[in-house]
Amino acid sequence: MIRLERFSFTYPGEDQPALSDLSFEVPAGQFYGLVGPNGAGKSTLCYALAGMIPHYFKGTLSGSLTVAEIDIAQSSLGELAGTIGLVFQNPFNQISGSRFSVRGEVALGLENLGVPRDQITDQVDETLEQSGLADLGERSPFALSGGQQQRLAIASILVMQPAVLILDEPTSQLDPVGTSEVYALLHQLVGQHETTVLIAEHKLERLAEFTDNVLVLNQGRLLANGPPKTVLTDPLIEEIGVQPTRYTQAARQARARGLILKKDEFPLTLQDAQEFFDDAAV
Amino acid sequence: MSTPTLYLPRDSRLHHLHPLTKLALIGLAIVAGATLPVTLWVIAVYLLILMPLAAWGKVLPAFLRSSLLLIWPFALSLTLIQGFFAPGEHILLQLGPLSLKLEGIQLAADYTARILVWLSAVILLMLITRPDQLMLALTERGLPRQIGYIILTALQIIPRFQQRAETILDSQRARGLETEGNLVKRLRALVPLVAPLILSSILELDERAIALEARGFTRAGPRTSLTTLKDTAPQSAFRWLSLIVMLLLILARAAGWMTA
Ligand SMILES: Nc1ncnc2c1ncn2[C@@H]1O[C@H](COP(=O)(O)OP(=O)(O)OP(=O)(O)O)[C@@H](O)[C@H]1O
Ligand SMILES: [Mg+2]
């Protein structure tokens, strides 16, 4: 569904490429995570996948990037809207500001696509239901909590039924409850609609719980591409400045102090950690 | 946090009128306020047209409160300026070298009545019309979408920026910034306030633009709308009639057919 071949991108006026020589594929219906330290190029990659690079941010490109069989560089943002959805950090900035109700806000994208009114009504109702916003339809988009606003931002994209959904740290401004709400929605989405999802995220435990595969980016390069359990417990990610989960850290500490000897695979989640220490205790 | 607009949702016949019909009504009041030659007639527009309309729309208390709250600074300053400085014969009160004159008071009353009609007509429109529906009506008639978008967004976003400025101000104050004291001090204090505000606003403009792009904002081709505006033949006829009356009023005034 997403395919990059030796894809590189340099922002105008910079000597270092922000993305360099990336090659990977995301099969349809998969849930992918994207991790990396600050400045690794996660946002840049998200923008490229959604066509904002090169259609909004100019710069130098090489290699190829296709999403849903569309050659991004040869397309236009208008054509991509509705096929590739993009959600980012700050929910406040994703609210259009031109609609006075949650319903109206969700409908905006479909109105721009010229979808007939009856169909808009149906799709909006369905999406509000799915995102748990059905009771808030008449509320002002600004009168919502952070988690609700972010679900509104996602709903406003989902309603257009994109084949691919790209999210750039959508939970970084949310508390744990808001974060769980967002992940629950994404999980349901991948399960029911076979949407292909790629999410840039700092909260590794969430990736461990929900994703099929994780990409690790550092200084614009792809360092690893594999299942969360292997990739996210690899000491490599700590070396580049990504903090492992506290379970991984605890286990590594225990091993460094000689409390545990036999294990060399580290736990990622609470459940892993329980098994890990249970085994080790024997 | 509710929407920072004046709009009051009410179940009234007035609310259900097409936004352009409401606009025509309000336009009529504004043109009448500008062209009617007699102060009393202008006051009659407020008392006999705008107030009953507000009552019909079930927004009379809010209408009176807003219009009277906004008019008194005008009334006061006009009375002082015109009363003392407009030429006239009939002296009502002598204060040293200054004299309060009847002609000036009459002039002030006339201006105040007209401003009252203009202000309260606009207030009434805002009380009974959802801004997005008004913009929809206008864009359907050819107002560029981008302009409609900017107006609507400004209505909702500007108050958020005020909030943000408050937050930044608070945090700067917590770090020992002068926000009290003389003018120079306070102006200097503005610099660290304005810089983060502008910077974050610029960064956010990009995000906002991208978010809109992702939802097809600049896409070419036909669009649809979730909300429909109900229009009727009598309303359309009323709007044409209003337009003619407005033109006649302006013409009559310009040609000097109407005099006190
Ligand atoms: N508009 C731009 N113009 C020039 N350089 C940019 C621009 N945006 C980002 N960069 C640079 O590109 C590199 C990658 O930035 P990017 O924002 O993609 O990183 P990131 O992984 O999203 O970081 P973070 O975790 O902080 O969000 C950085 O070195 C950054 O300074
Ligand atoms: Mg980023």
Side-chain angles (χ1 to χ4, degrees):
Chain A
M1 188 52 78
I2 299 175
R3 179 197 303 258
L4 282 82
E5 266 166 48
R6 312 211 62 176
F7 182 80
S8 300
F9 173 77
T10 311
Y11 281 106
E14 305 282 317
D15 350 307
Q16 291 293 321
L19 298 176
S20 89
D21 210 19
L22 297 182
S23 302
F24 66 87
E25 266 182 55
V26 179
Q30 293 263 309
F31 195 158
Y32 265 54
L34 176 61
V35 300
N38 289 55
K42 300 183 296 294
S43 299
T44 307
L45 179 56
C46 289
Y47 288 154
L49 292 172
M52 298 303 157
I53 288 170
H55 301 296
Y56 185 90
F57 293 109
K58 308 291 169 200
T60 328
L61 294 176
S62 65
S64 81
L65 197 180
T66 52
V67 179
E69 315 285 309
I70 304 169
D71 181 350
I72 299 293
Q74 303 302 317
S75 182
S76 73
L77 287 179
E79 286 173 59
L80 295 175
T83 305
I84 307 172
L86 176 65
V87 172
F88 44 93
Q89 286 188 16
N90 185 338
F92 174 69
N93 287 339
Q94 300 173 77
I95 292 175
S96 76
S98 70
R99 292 294 183 273
F100 286 68
S101 68
V102 166
R103 273 186 75 79
E105 181 70 21
V106 174
L108 180 67
L110 296 180
E111 294 176 339
N112 287 338
L113 294 183
V115 173
R117 186 175 302 124
D118 295 345
Q119 202 181 326
I120 295 184
T121 312
D122 291 348
Q123 267 170 254
V124 167
D125 285 342
E126 192 192 318
T127 309
L128 286 176
E129 193 65 47
Q130 190 178 25
S131 356
L133 295 169
D135 294 337
L136 302 171
E138 297 313 314
R139 196 76 86 81
S140 158
F142 292 101
L144 300 177
S145 73
Q148 290 169 337
Q149 275 188 347
Q150 194 59 284
R151 277 187 287 144
L152 171 59
I154 298 175
S156 304
I157 296 293
L158 284 190
V159 75
M160 300 164 82
Q161 301 179 340
V164 178
L165 182 61
I166 310 293
L167 305 104
D168 185 9
E169 299 188 34
T171 66
S172 66
Q173 309 210 345
L174 304 183
D175 57 18
V177 176
T179 303
S180 300
E181 287 173 1
V182 167
Y183 271 96
L185 173 58
L186 293 176
H187 183 63
Q188 184 194 352
L189 197 69
V190 177
Q192 288 178 3
H193 295 260
E194 300 192 355
T195 312
T196 307
V197 177
L198 185 139
I199 185 168
E201 178 63 272
H202 280 301
K203 299 171 183 166
L204 303 193
E205 280 166 55
R206 305 288 179 163
L207 294 182
E209 190 176 348
F210 291 102
T211 58
D212 299 311
N213 222 36
V214 173
L215 305 167
V216 182
L217 213 56
N218 188 37
Q219 297 181 340
R221 294 178 180 279
L222 188 64
L223 285 196
N225 176 358
K229 289 227 160 139
T230 359
V231 170
L232 298 178
T233 53
D234 194 322
L236 172 103
I237 65 159
E238 199 165 6
E239 279 161 31
I240 61 169
V242 175
Q243 204 180 23
T245 70
R246 51 196 139 158
Y247 309 112
T248 314
Q249 290 179 35
R252 220 173 269 153
Q253 289 272 341
R255 191 183 158 109
R257 291 179 191 180
L259 297 173
I260 291 162
L261 296 173
K262 51 181 181 178
K263 285 266 175 179
D264 41 34
E265 233 180 51
F266 289 103
L268 186 54
T269 61
L270 177 59
Q271 201 190 341
D272 294 350
Q274 278 161 352
E275 287 166 19
F276 178 86
F277 286 110
D278 276 350
D279 283 3
V282 181
Chain B
M1 256 296 156
S2 62
T3 317
T5 56
L6 281 181
Y7 175 68
L8 292 177
R10 295 277 188 277
D11 189 22
S12 83
R13 295 280 293 279
L14 187 61
H15 278 73
H16 287 132
L17 291 179
H18 191 275
L20 291 182
T21 309
K22 299 179 197 174
L23 200 60
L25 264 172
I26 269 47
L28 209 51
I30 289 176
V31 170
T35 55
L36 290 178
V38 184
T39 311
L40 269 181
W41 298 2
V42 178
I43 295 175
V45 173
Y46 182 78
L47 293 177
L48 302 181
I49 298 178
L50 292 174
M51 268 174 51
L53 274 176
W56 188 36
K58 301 179 185 170
V59 294
L60 188 59
F63 172 78
L64 290 177
R65 199 176 333 111
S66 310
S67 61
L68 297 179
L69 207 68
L70 281 174
I71 197 60
W72 75 260
F74 289 97
L76 196 69
S77 53
L78 282 167
T79 306
L80 289 177
I81 293 169
Q82 300 296 341
F84 283 107
F85 299 110
E89 312 275 288
H90 298 85
I91 294 173
L92 299 174
L93 182 72
Q94 192 76 38
L95 283 177
L98 293 175
S99 53
L100 188 69
K101 293 175 278 310
L102 179 64
E103 288 84 350
I105 299 282
Q106 284 170 339
L107 210 56
D110 187 68
Y111 289 166
T112 304
R114 292 177 198 279
I115 294 174
L116 176 65
V117 165
W118 297 332
L119 280 179
S120 57
V122 174
I123 289 168
L124 180 61
L125 180 70
M126 302 208 296
L127 284 171
I128 59 172
T129 316
R130 262 180 56 172
D132 51 342
Q133 299 197 342
L134 180 61
M135 284 308 143
L136 178 60
L138 291 173
T139 43
E140 276 179 358
R141 305 296 152 113
L143 178 81
R145 259 167 28 85
Q146 277 81 352
I147 294 180
Y149 175 79
I150 289 168
I151 295 173
L152 286 175
T153 310
L155 278 177
Q156 297 202 88
I157 305 274
I158 286 172
R160 312 290 143 181
F161 276 119
Q162 283 170 345
Q163 271 175 11
R164 166 106 41 93
E166 281 296 319
T167 316
I168 295 178
L169 198 63
D170 279 346
S171 63
Q172 305 283 31
R173 216 181 266 143
R175 284 184 228 142
L177 178 92
E178 287 292 341
T179 51
E180 275 125 47
N182 70 32
L183 191 67
V184 179
K185 253 189 186 166
R186 291 172 65 170
L187 278 182
R188 216 179 305 138
L190 273 182
V191 178
L193 166 66
V194 168
L197 191 62
I198 292 181
L199 205 68
S200 64
S201 306
I202 290 173
L203 289 177
E204 289 185 357
L205 271 182
D206 257 345
E207 286 200 354
R208 211 167 264 292
I210 290 173
L212 281 172
E213 290 288 0
R215 291 159 75 189
F217 188 67
T218 56
R219 182 179 166 276
R223 288 158 206 280
T224 46
S225 172
L226 176 65
T227 26
T228 39
L229 300 170
K230 256 180 269 145
D231 203 2
T232 56
Q235 286 195 56
S236 166
F238 171 81
R239 291 198 294 266
W240 282 111
L241 191 69
S242 310
L243 203 62
I244 294 170
V245 174
M246 283 186 242
L247 288 176
L248 280 178
L249 279 170
I250 293 168
L251 197 66
R253 178 67 186 227
W257 298 336
M258 284 194 300
T259 46

